[in-house]
Every structure is written in structure tokens, then in C-alpha cells.
Amino acid sequence: MSAQPVSPSRLSLNQITTKNWSLPEAVQGCLDAGIPAIGLWRDKVAETGVAEAAKLVREAGLAVSTLCRGGFLTAPGPDGRHAALAENLRALEEAAELGTDTLVLVVGGLPDGSRDLVGARERVAELLAELAPHAGDLGVRLAIEPLHPMFCADRAVVSTLGQALDLAERFPVEQVGVVVDSYHVWWDPELASQIARAGARIASYQVCDWTLPLPADALLGRGHVGDGHIDFRTMTEQLTAAGYTGWIEVEIFNDTIWNTPGADTLRTMIERHHAHVEAP
Amino acid sequence: MSAQPVSPSRLSLNQITTKNWSLPEAVQGCLDAGIPAIGLWRDKVAETGVAEAAKLVREAGLAVSTLCRGGFLTAPGPDGRHAALAENLRALEEAAELGTDTLVLVVGGLPDGSRDLVGARERVAELLAELAPHAGDLGVRLAIEPLHPMFCADRAVVSTLGQALDLAERFPVEQVGVVVDSYHVWWDPELASQIARAGARIASYQVCDWTLPLPADALLGRGHVGDGHIDFRTMTEQLTAAGYTGWIEVEIFNDTIWNTPGADTLRTMIERHHAHVEAP
């Protein structure tokens, strides 16, 4: 009999979705909308300061579903390797201070002018081996995110969930997991079997929709859940069957959505979540 | 001691690469450049007429490496199914008349408004089963082309070489094969093992390069071999090791290249072929 909207108990706002909000604005937006969790971005955290950001989300009672993002592990040579390790150790420490157990990794693309995809993938594995014990010490899990193959050259040489699991399974489950982001994996003919295989390795479930046409900057082509071609209900069921009951984080890169008032975006997120991802 | 360029004995011009050339112009272009084979497109063939096109290439002494293209097998309902079968039977007959043993199939994307990727993939398998015996009768092989996953929604629900082989292996090897197009498969972490698995199923090897940024129409983002991120030498070695010694067809969708004089494009093709794909 109540007009109250049902609380979306597993929904999290990835803060890139409201890119024009500062961290304090995003925290307040979640409180106003009744969204119980937030996925933070390091650049936004840096604007506020890590300690202050941690205090804000804690006092707001929000869970921090993930920190985005570490990774970029493919630079060649000792300098590139050293810089990547140092940066990812800082990211792990920030994640711990912010109270999240998940650091999302975008592993990096091919170095400039390189065609050595095999070599770049080997460097990812090597640096994961260096980072994993530190992650374990800090109680934060490295979550390898396979990116859509159209980002293989420039952003992530890990392109499928199966490939991410091949990497993750070299390490203890509490140290290295995987991200299932609908946009990046929806097309994969092995998706169902790889989600089943992933089980407890699933560290994060991120959602947005595949919409066409792709814009000139393909990074910004993602749509609200329900606006495109992805069958979210089935994907959510597969994740549930695999044992994943954690946060469902809405992460959208889209100029039009970024230029929409944040409160409107959060209202759409909640509606679409109930309609397409998980029944209320 | 000769200044003669070495003849690129396995090189074929896919005629989309010189989109502004008619079929007779493309045939003459190949003769002038010393390119021994051509991959034909049905729209260009139709402009000239099938019988006349067949006569032209035969009298020029060119091999016809492929006919592009059949497919688009995902339409739902009996009408869509019937139309797709009829169209593909016509394409098979044209291929036979043109003297090629290979009809390239782009299998089709999701029907408008559909999110049922599993269903679309099932329809592809069903229609292949209808078409395969006819292909066998005509001595033409259906060559399933996995397209890059960024085309999954709108052009081809077959997205990996492994998936194409799962389909092809249901049929006799002389009836159904696969296309290995560098642009579509270069990113695949399973590429080496799937090429090895493919063996005699490989009906065509098509090349062009992955270049960035993607243009607004992602279909047109392909570059000349050597302009992008693909390691062609390794891919060619893998195909050779799998037993493929057939045509290497250059197929480029790119507005800038289309607006280049065809003879210049063919000269570039030959140079890049020797430099990156196969030593002279």
C-alpha cells in the first residue's frame, strides 16, 4: 500500500556515471536516492583527499563497492614496470583506507608502436604476481576486468572473462578476482560457462547497455540498462547461480548521461535496475 | 638482378578495397598490378551481370578467391527464414558460376529490438544445416566469418573463430569452413590454438589492420596492413602451420583508401604484403 519505492538493496552508483558530481555530491546523491553503495574513482577521491573521502562515505553509511582503478601493467622495461607497481600499491592502500575490498584493474593496452600482444599479456601476469601478495596483506582483492575486444590495442589486453580467469586462478581467490561488466562481455559465446566457472572469483558485477551506433569516441557509447541489446535478467541469473550476491554497480560512460542532472540519472538507474536487472 | 617486383603469388584483391572501381576496372587493375586473384562482391557482380563477370575474370586469367557475401541468417519467423534461404541459394549459384569455391558468410546480428542472442545463434545453426548440402552439390563451401565482437549486435552473432568452428564442425569439411580475417580475430587470446584447430576448415584468410581511433562508423576503421597493431607475420605462420596455403585476400573498408586511385592502393597492397604478411 506504500508509495515508497522499493530499496534497491544491491545497487551501487559507480561514480563515473555522474561524472560531473564531486565525491561529496555523489555521496549525497546516493543518500537522497536511497542507493546504499558507491564505486569510487581515484581522481575524484584525490580531489577530496583520501582521508576525507573515507570519512564522508563512512559517516553517510554507504558501502564502497569498488575503487576504480588500478592496472595499466603493460609498459615495457624496468622503469615502466617499477612505475606501474608503485602506482598500484598506492591504489591498493587507498582502497583499504576507503573501506572497499575490491580494486578494479584495467590492465592496459599495447605500448606505443608495439604489435607484441603476447608479450604485453605476459607482463600483466608478471605484475599481478608481484601485486597479489600485497593485495592479500591489505585485505583488498585485485579484480581483473576484461574489456571489450575493441579496446584491446589501447586499453586492455585482457579481452574475455575466460582469459581473466586464466590469470586470476594462478593466485589465491582472496587476492585476485574478476569483474563481470555487461558491456564488455555480453557478446561472448562462452559467457554462461565462464560465469559458472568464475564462481567465487567474481569480485564485481558492473552493468550498462550496448547501444548503437557507437560514437566517434567508442569509450563513450554505453547506455542505461534497458536502452540496448543486453539481456540483463539472464546475466544476473547466471551470476546468482554462480554464487555472486554482491553489489551491482552501474558504470556508464556517456556524454549525454553525464550532462543529465545527477538526481535524474539515479532515478533512471533505480527504475532500470528493477525492470531489467533484478526484480524488486 | 632484376628490377621486376616479385609476383605476390598468393595475393588477392577483395574488391571492396577498391570500392569505386567497377568489376571490369578491378579486373584490369589486378592485371596491371600483377595480382593473380580477386574476391568479388555480389553488388558489383550484379552491375556487370553474373555471366559477363564470370567471362571477364576467366578471360583475364584471374582466380576468384571468394564471393562476398551470403549470410544474414538471423531473421525470425518463417518469412525471414525463407527469404534468407532463397538469397543464400542464389549466392551459392552465383559463386559456382563465377568459378570460386568459397562463399563468405556474414551471419547477421540481432533482429530489431531483440535481446535474444542465444536464439539468433541457434537460427544460424539451423539455416546452415539447410544450406550445407546445397553448397556441397554446387562445389562451393560456406565460409563462416566470425566478425569482431563490436559487430555482434548489428552484423554477426558469430564473434570468435572458436565459435565459428563449433558451427562448421557439424558439417562435412567440404561444405562448411571458416574465414580468418585478421581485423576480426587478432585480439583473441585463443587465436593460435583455434587456428591450429581449424586446419582444413580454413577457407579464406583476409587481411587488413586494426588502426585507431575508430571512426564514427566503426565499419570503416580498417587500415592497410602495417598501419596498425596486428602482427601479420605471426598470424600467417600460424595459418601455414595449420596447413593453409591458399589466397591471402586484402579486404579494407576505409573511406580514405576508397578515395585513393585504385592503382595506388594495389601498389601499397603489394608492398605491405611483402613487408608484413609473407616475404617475397
Side-chain angles (χ1 to χ4, degrees):
Chain A
M1 303 294 286
S2 165
Q4 278 292 100
V6 178
S7 170
S9 62
R10 295 176 62 195
L11 185 60
S12 176
L13 169 69
N14 182 294
Q15 82 173 125
I16 201 73
T17 306
T18 51
K19 192 179 183 222
N20 290 329
W21 268 351
S22 66
L23 189 144
E25 289 171 326
V27 167
Q28 189 60 48
C30 286
L31 288 179
D32 293 345
I35 291 175
I38 188 165
L40 299 174
W41 274 66
R42 291 185 72 207
D43 57 339
K44 296 287 189 187
V45 169
E47 284 170 14
T48 302
V50 182
E52 176 64 18
K55 182 164 175 283
L56 271 172
V57 292
R58 193 172 56 242
E59 290 182 355
L62 293 181
V64 181
S65 47
T66 62
L67 178 64
C68 297
R69 57 197 185 179
F72 299 97
L73 306 174
T74 55
D79 288 355
R81 179 192 182 93
H82 183 264
L85 284 174
E87 190 60 31
N88 279 279
L89 288 174
R90 273 194 294 276
L92 282 168
E93 285 161 7
E94 286 175 26
E97 185 169 354
L98 292 163
T100 180
D101 57 6
T102 304
L103 176 66
V104 173
L105 299 187
V106 171
V107 302
L110 289 171
D112 278 352
S114 168
R115 298 188 181 106
D116 182 10
L117 189 51
V118 172
R121 287 169 168 164
E122 283 170 1
R123 285 195 294 283
V124 171
E126 289 165 11
L127 269 68
L128 279 175
E130 300 263 2
L131 289 167
H134 297 286
D137 291 344
L138 288 161
V140 175
R141 187 148 67 155
L142 299 163
I144 305 168
E145 180 166 9
L147 255 56
H148 194 285
M150 72 181 170
F151 300 121
C152 184
D154 53 344
R155 285 196 178 81
V157 295
V158 173
S159 306
T160 64
L161 185 55
Q163 185 192 6
L165 288 168
D166 287 346
L167 282 167
E169 287 170 355
R170 304 176 186 198
F171 308 100
V173 68
E174 70 276 11
Q175 291 179 10
V176 184
V178 297
V179 179
V180 177
D181 182 316
S182 59
Y183 188 81
H184 296 304
V185 301
W186 75 279
W187 58 271
D188 188 348
E190 295 188 7
L191 184 61
S193 59
Q194 294 297 340
I195 288 175
R197 169 189 171 196
R201 294 275 170 186
I202 304 169
S204 174
Y205 176 27
Q206 296 183 328
V207 293
C208 69
D209 215 335
W210 180 269
T211 57
L212 290 174
L214 295 176
D217 181 349
L219 186 65
L220 305 183
R222 310 180 202 187
H224 271 296
V225 163
D227 282 345
H229 297 278
I230 300 177
D231 176 0
F232 288 96
R233 190 77 69 193
T234 298
M235 198 179 296
T236 303
E237 286 169 2
Q238 290 167 345
L239 283 152
T240 303
Y244 183 76
T245 54
W247 300 109
I248 302 173
E249 204 178 87
V250 174
E251 184 189 47
I252 308 178
F253 293 70
N254 181 308
D255 260 330
T256 304
I257 294 172
W258 287 345
N259 290 320
T260 301
D264 295 349
T265 296
L266 268 55
R267 197 174 308 117
T268 303
M269 277 173 46
I270 293 171
E271 289 168 10
R272 301 300 179 85
H273 181 80
H274 288 150
H276 295 279
V277 180
E278 196 188 42
Chain B
M1 304 294 286
S2 165
Q4 277 292 101
V6 178
S7 169
S9 62
R10 296 176 63 196
L11 185 61
S12 176
L13 170 68
N14 182 293
Q15 118 166 96
I16 201 73
T17 306
T18 51
K19 193 180 183 219
N20 291 330
W21 267 351
S22 66
L23 189 144
E25 289 171 326
V27 167
Q28 190 58 49
C30 286
L31 288 179
D32 293 344
I35 291 176
I38 189 165
L40 299 174
W41 275 67
R42 293 185 71 206
D43 57 340
K44 296 287 187 188
V45 169
E47 284 171 13
T48 302
V50 182
E52 176 64 17
K55 183 165 175 281
L56 271 171
V57 292
R58 193 173 54 243
E59 291 182 356
L62 292 182
V64 181
S65 47
T66 62
L67 178 64
C68 298
R69 57 197 185 179
F72 299 96
L73 307 174
T74 54
D79 289 354
R81 178 192 182 92
H82 183 264
L85 284 173
E87 190 60 31
N88 278 279
L89 288 173
R90 275 194 293 277
L92 281 168
E93 285 162 6
E94 286 175 25
E97 186 168 355
L98 292 163
T100 180
D101 57 5
T102 304
L103 176 66
V104 173
L105 299 188
V106 171
V107 302
L110 289 171
D112 279 350
S114 168
R115 297 188 182 106
D116 182 11
L117 188 52
V118 173
R121 286 170 169 164
E122 283 170 0
R123 285 195 295 282
V124 171
E126 288 165 13
L127 268 69
L128 279 175
E130 300 263 1
L131 290 167
H134 298 285
D137 290 345
L138 289 161
V140 176
R141 186 147 69 153
L142 299 163
I144 305 168
E145 181 167 8
L147 255 56
H148 193 285
M150 72 181 170
F151 300 121
C152 184
D154 53 345
R155 284 197 179 81
V157 296
V158 173
S159 307
T160 64
L161 185 55
Q163 185 192 7
L165 288 167
D166 287 346
L167 283 167
E169 287 171 355
R170 303 176 185 198
F171 308 100
V173 67
E174 69 278 11
Q175 292 179 9
V176 184
V178 297
V179 179
V180 176
D181 182 317
S182 59
Y183 188 81
H184 296 305
V185 301
W186 75 279
W187 58 271
D188 188 346
E190 294 187 9
L191 183 61
S193 60
Q194 294 297 340
I195 287 175
R197 169 189 171 195
R201 293 277 169 184
I202 303 169
S204 174
Y205 176 27
Q206 296 183 328
V207 293
C208 69
D209 215 336
W210 180 268
T211 56
L212 290 175
L214 295 175
D217 182 347
L219 186 65
L220 305 183
R222 308 180 203 188
H224 271 296
V225 164
D227 283 344
H229 297 278
I230 300 177
D231 176 0
F232 287 96
R233 191 77 69 191
T234 298
M235 199 180 295
T236 303
E237 286 169 3
Q238 290 167 346
L239 283 152
T240 304
Y244 183 77
T245 55
W247 300 110
I248 301 173
E249 204 178 85
V250 174
E251 185 189 46
I252 308 179
F253 294 70
N254 180 310
D255 260 329
T256 304
I257 293 172
W258 287 345
N259 290 322
T260 300
D264 295 349
T265 297
L266 269 54
R267 198 173 308 116
T268 304
M269 275 173 48
I270 293 171
E271 288 168 9
R272 301 302 178 84
H273 181 79
H274 289 150
H276 295 280
V277 180
E278 197 187 41

